[in-house]
Amino acid sequence: QVQLVESGGGLVQPGGSLRLSCTASRSIFVVNNLGWYRQAPGKERELVAVRSGGTTNYADSVQGRFTVSRDNGRSTMYLQMNSLKPEDTAVYYCMMVLLDTPYWGQGTQVTVSS
């Protein structure tokens, strides 16, 4: 079992930045597959970015603006979000796959509005 705790969401103006964190309850050193998803009101959950091994793939809508990183020493993954747009408003979820089992964070709200 792994618990993932997210933080860093909030209200930001268009063009602003936020960094989301996702901290695991155990070491993520052996985690090869991890990512971020989001769900806007009335829409299905969608992929934001997924990192598998050394490769990260981003949704077209966030390419060049969002960056995934990890700190194994802190058992934490991050999502740096720059140049935020109102359409980025959603609940963001982190996900990690450990021993072929996906684990999800509880979600953190990101609202982009002036």
Side-chain angles (χ1 to χ4, degrees):
Q1 282 280 348
V2 178
Q3 282 75 49
L4 304 180
V5 178
E6 301 181 34
S7 61
L11 173 65
V12 63
Q13 293 187 342
S17 298
L18 281 176
R19 188 179 76 160
L20 305 183
S21 301
C22 175
T23 300
S25 58
R26 56 171 292 174
S27 172
I28 64 169
F29 184 80
V30 297
V31 173
N32 285 322
N33 297 303
L34 45 84
W36 291 89
Y37 292 73
R38 67 187 181 187
Q39 187 166 18
K43 295 186 177 181
E44 295 186 353
R45 189 173 298 189
E46 65 175 1
L47 173 71
V48 174
V50 62
R51 185 165 179 166
S52 180
T55 301
T56 305
N57 292 301
Y58 297 90
D60 289 343
S61 58
V62 307
Q63 181 74 46
R65 300 187 297 122
F66 290 12
T67 303
V68 174
S69 62
R70 62 190 291 174
D71 183 339
N72 290 340
R74 297 180 184 271
S75 298
T76 300
M77 59 185 284
Y78 303 96
L79 181 67
Q80 177 66 44
M81 306 185 293
N82 299 327
S83 302
L84 282 160
K85 304 175 181 180
E87 50 264 43
D88 295 319
T89 296
V91 178
Y92 283 71
Y93 299 89
C94 62
M95 184 279 299
M96 296 185 188
V97 178
L98 183 64
L99 299 177
D100 296 327
T101 300
Y103 296 91
W104 293 88
Q106 80 284 2
T108 186
Q109 177 70 47
V110 171
T111 302
V112 184
S113 175
S114 56

